Amino acid sequence: MKQFLLIFSLLCLSLAGFSQTTAPKDTIHPWTIHGQNTILISQSSFSNWAAGGVNAFSGNVIFDYDFDYKRGNWSWDNKTILAYGLSNQTGLGWRKNDDRIILNSLLGYKAAKYWLYTFYANFQTQLTNGYSYDSNNNRTLISALFAPAYLTFGPGFAFKKSDNFRVNISPLAAKLTFVQNDSLASAGAFGVIPGENHLFEFGASLDAYYKVNIAKNIAFENILKLFSNYRSQPQNIYTDYSANIFMKVNKLVTVNAGVELIADPNAKIPVTTNGVTAYHSLLQVKQIFGAGLTYKF
């Protein structure tokens, strides 16, 4: 398999503020920016090992930034996640194990102590081609850059207790699925009409975030996204749930573990049985575990 190297080049913004004893309120900058850059590495190697084993190596890089605005009754929370990972296993070569571009934005106007009127938008896609592999290591293209890409947006309301606990509900949400790859679009991948490059859905969405410290230097993060299409089989709910544990060893070293579960009625995964390939909507599961370096700002 052809090997390639992905290089992320990011410019990190910083804010400088001036502190005064009697500073006027309108001179305080309403923006706060914080985030973390993480590199995870895991490796296993065997030589003359009686119990058996397969040499394996994986590396992941994750950029997770928050850009938040607050002034008066208005708030605007923005999150950007860029993540990519590769793994190499003897006999299989290099394969992708993580690939995400996520942009999340929530504009809110205070309605009560913990309640907001909101407008929500979320965009998700990936950077490189994704493949499924059969028992002979033959691969089949199943995804690509902007194939799919998801854009969900709509008005709603939110309960926000803090930056670590919020739930946004949009009963009038639009969801656009883009498939900008001709071979996938012609096959009707991700629910589009064969030959079309996009799918429009109208329904309700829920986006929830909860993070708690379960022990000293151990944080547990939960992210849930739901969408129900009013126009077609609303009982088939798109579900995306992520659970992540961050264990801090010292100022820079962390151990991270995470699992993501996706149930997408429109995503059909090829399954080959006795030489016959069929496409099914299956529960998608991704797990990542590794130790590495994390820089927070």
Side-chain angles (χ1 to χ4, degrees):
M1 177 182 291
K2 184 179 179 180
Q3 301 182 19
F4 58 89
L5 177 66
L6 179 72
I7 302 175
F8 281 111
S9 179
L10 294 176
L11 295 177
C12 300
L13 300 175
S14 61
L15 290 176
F18 294 93
S19 175
Q20 300 180 22
T21 303
T22 58
K25 186 175 181 180
D26 59 2
T27 65
I28 300 174
H29 204 291
W31 285 97
T32 58
I33 300 176
H34 56 90
Q36 59 185 29
N37 307 317
T38 303
I39 298 175
L40 297 178
I41 296 175
S42 63
Q43 186 264 345
S44 62
S45 179
F46 303 87
S47 179
N48 303 319
W49 192 254
V54 178
N55 297 340
F57 173 85
S58 67
N60 296 72
V61 58
I62 304 169
F63 301 100
D64 186 344
Y65 299 151
D66 290 285
F67 306 85
D68 299 332
Y69 175 92
K70 174 67 177 177
R71 172 164 287 177
N73 291 327
W74 288 98
S75 63
W76 187 20
D77 299 334
N78 302 277
K79 177 179 280 290
T80 299
I81 297 176
L82 302 175
Y84 195 82
L86 292 171
S87 63
N88 184 293
Q89 188 171 325
T90 301
L92 298 180
W94 289 96
R95 293 185 181 182
K96 180 172 63 173
N97 63 23
D98 195 11
D99 189 357
R100 291 174 289 156
I101 301 175
I102 301 175
L103 306 175
N104 197 68
S105 186
L106 181 67
L107 178 66
Y109 184 83
K110 187 174 181 179
K113 185 176 182 180
Y114 297 124
W115 291 92
L116 303 169
Y117 302 116
T118 62
F119 189 88
Y120 165 78
N122 173 263
F123 176 80
Q124 296 183 215
T125 188
Q126 61 192 53
L127 290 165
T128 59
N129 291 347
Y131 301 93
S132 67
Y133 297 83
D134 62 18
S135 58
N136 296 318
N137 205 28
N138 297 314
R139 66 183 190 181
T140 301
L141 180 71
I142 58 173
S143 61
L145 175 66
F146 294 109
Y150 300 104
L151 175 62
T152 307
F153 59 92
F157 54 92
F159 177 83
K160 183 179 179 181
K161 185 70 176 289
S162 68
D163 288 338
N164 290 329
F165 180 38
R166 61 181 180 271
V167 179
N168 183 76
I169 299 174
S170 178
L172 302 173
K175 181 181 179 182
L176 288 165
T177 301
F178 301 95
V179 182
Q180 299 300 315
N181 178 282
D182 291 338
S183 64
L184 293 173
S186 63
F190 304 100
V192 301
I193 297 174
E196 297 286 338
N197 292 106
H198 69 276
L199 170 69
F200 175 78
E201 298 174 89
F202 179 74
S205 71
L206 180 146
D207 181 83
Y209 179 85
Y210 178 57
K211 184 177 181 181
V212 61
N213 293 321
I214 59 177
K216 184 178 180 181
N217 294 332
I218 301 179
F220 182 40
E221 178 186 68
N222 298 268
I223 303 172
L224 176 65
K225 298 180 185 298
L226 303 174
F227 181 84
S228 175
N229 182 12
Y230 291 149
R231 303 169 66 191
S232 176
Q233 298 181 315
Q235 72 278 9
N236 292 339
I237 299 174
Y238 171 89
T239 304
D240 185 345
Y241 171 69
S242 297
N244 302 295
I245 295 179
F246 308 101
M247 294 168 279
K248 184 178 179 181
V249 178
N250 57 36
K251 187 175 181 180
L252 290 177
V253 178
T254 60
V255 177
N256 294 5
V259 61
E260 183 175 7
L261 308 174
I262 297 178
D264 185 354
N266 294 325
K268 307 298 183 181
I269 308 299
V271 178
T272 302
T273 305
N274 297 325
V276 178
T277 300
Y279 291 81
H280 303 278
S281 178
L282 304 173
L283 177 65
Q284 303 171 50
V285 181
K286 179 181 69 178
Q287 301 177 64
I288 293 179
F289 178 83
L293 302 177
T294 297
Y295 171 73
K296 295 184 178 182
F297 62 92

